[in-house]
């Protein structure tokens, strides 16, 4: 099975800061990598699909990049409403399955 | 716009089973996958398995093989997830979620509201 290593597990940043989270796959996954935001008591929300595509309605301060085994998720200017846990998730096709990263909790410094 | 609406909270004893439903309201089943994802207290998200309702194939995470069963009722556009041999470690919020594109591609862009399953003696 493909393993996903997400880092850091938590971070503290100031409002307006640039925040970066990375996800590394144990083998080449092309661009089959998605990013989610999860707030307590709510369902996860898809932010980025296929590594770099911004989901409809998601603010442009969120972005994703990467291909193969190394991926990056960025918040260009941290806002108060961005306090949440962020997960990467890879998709494998044979057989179909998903694996989530361990999550990164983002807090305000 | 299809919405996913899940059944309510459940309490079960260790060793028993639970069956959670996920109704797709506002539209018919398509060839998009419906998946089950759970989050235990203090833990991350965990994919359990999925199905494409218009086909018969199911796919399960290795961890849950033999203990989870996903079924579909096309007449009511409802997908069910049954988990057996429950232990306290199965206490979690269970979500159903559908894919953005056909099959399993493009990420999970629609989610149910979540169902809390508590396993306690």
């Amino acid at each position: 099975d493909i393993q996903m290593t997400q880092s850091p597990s938590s971070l503290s940043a100031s409002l307006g800061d640039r925040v970066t989270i990375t996800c590394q796959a144990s083998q080449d996954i092309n661009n089959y990598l998605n990013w989610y935001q999860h707030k307590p008591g709510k369902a996860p929300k898809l932010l980025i699909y296929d590594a770099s595509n911004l989901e409809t309605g998601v603010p442009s301060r969120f972005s994703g990049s990467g291909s193969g085994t190394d991926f990056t998720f960025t918040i260009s200017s941290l806002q108060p409403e961005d306090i949440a846990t962020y997960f990467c998730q890879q998709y494998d096709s044979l057989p179909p399955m998903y694996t989530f990263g361990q999550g990164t909790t983002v807090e305000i410094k | 716009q299809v919405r996913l609406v899940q059944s309510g909270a459940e309490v079960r004893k260790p060793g028993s089973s639970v069956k959670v439903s996920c109704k797709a309201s506002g539209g018919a089943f398509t060839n998009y996958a419906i998946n089950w994802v759970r989050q235990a207290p203090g833990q991350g998200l965990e994919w359990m398995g999925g199905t494409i309702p218009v086909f018969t194939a199911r796919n399960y995470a290795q961890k849950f093989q033999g203990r989870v069963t996903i079924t579909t009722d096309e007449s009511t556009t409802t997908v069910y997830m049954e988990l057996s041999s429950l232990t306290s470690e199965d206490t979690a919020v269970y979500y159903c979620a559908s894919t953005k594109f056909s099959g399993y591609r493009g990420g999970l862009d629609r989610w149910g509201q979540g169902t809390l399953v508590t396993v306690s003696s």
Side-chain angles (χ1 to χ4, degrees):
Chain A
D1 289 1
I2 297 174
Q3 306 301 316
M4 303 301 296
T5 303
Q6 184 176 341
S7 62
S9 57
S10 65
L11 65 88
S12 182
S14 301
L15 294 177
D17 278 358
R18 184 180 187 87
V19 168
T20 298
I21 299 169
T22 63
C23 225
Q24 185 170 59
S26 58
Q27 62 190 71
D28 191 331
I29 58 171
N30 287 305
N31 67 336
Y32 297 148
L33 194 284
N34 309 305
W35 292 95
Y36 299 84
Q37 177 189 68
H38 195 197
K39 296 182 177 180
K42 292 193 167 185
K45 178 183 178 182
L46 178 65
L47 300 180
I48 303 288
Y49 65 93
D50 293 346
S52 60
N53 295 286
L54 192 67
E55 174 67 347
T56 304
V58 173
S60 59
R61 64 180 180 275
F62 296 100
S63 65
S65 64
S67 183
T69 60
D70 295 300
F71 301 86
T72 301
F73 171 81
T74 300
I75 307 172
S76 61
S77 176
L78 187 66
Q79 301 301 303
E81 60 267 31
D82 301 336
I83 302 313
T85 301
Y86 294 84
F87 293 91
C88 63
Q89 171 244 317
Q90 72 88 20
Y91 156 63
D92 204 354
S93 60
L94 292 172
M97 67 178 297
Y98 296 141
T99 305
F100 287 92
Q102 298 89 339
T104 298
T105 300
V106 174
E107 300 173 333
I108 299 290
K109 190 182 293 183
Chain B
Q1 291 278 351
V2 173
R3 280 184 60 221
L4 301 178
V5 180
Q6 298 181 224
S7 49
E10 303 271 12
V11 179
R12 292 287 185 272
K13 293 194 182 302
S16 66
S17 299
V18 68
K19 193 171 186 177
V20 181
S21 68
C22 173
K23 180 174 174 58
S25 64
F29 276 154
T30 64
N31 59 348
Y32 293 34
I34 302 280
N35 298 268
W36 289 91
V37 175
R38 77 178 189 180
Q39 185 176 41
Q43 304 296 311
L45 299 174
E46 187 171 33
W47 181 76
M48 301 177 68
T51 182
I52 300 175
V54 296
F55 302 130
T56 56
R58 321 280 188 247
N59 295 283
Y60 300 120
Q62 192 167 7
K63 173 178 178 177
F64 298 100
Q65 286 274 4
R67 212 161 63 90
V68 67
T69 304
I70 295 173
T71 55
T72 301
D73 183 340
E74 286 194 57
S75 67
T76 61
T77 62
T78 302
V79 177
Y80 298 90
M81 185 283 298
E82 184 169 20
L83 187 63
S84 62
S85 303
L86 293 170
T87 72
S88 59
E89 295 186 352
D90 295 313
T91 294
V93 176
Y94 290 77
Y95 295 99
C96 62
S98 66
T99 51
K100 183 172 179 66
F101 301 129
S102 62
Y104 286 81
R105 300 181 306 114
L108 303 171
D109 69 336
R110 290 191 190 144
W111 293 71
Q113 80 276 23
T115 297
L116 175 62
V117 174
T118 304
V119 183
S120 173
S121 55

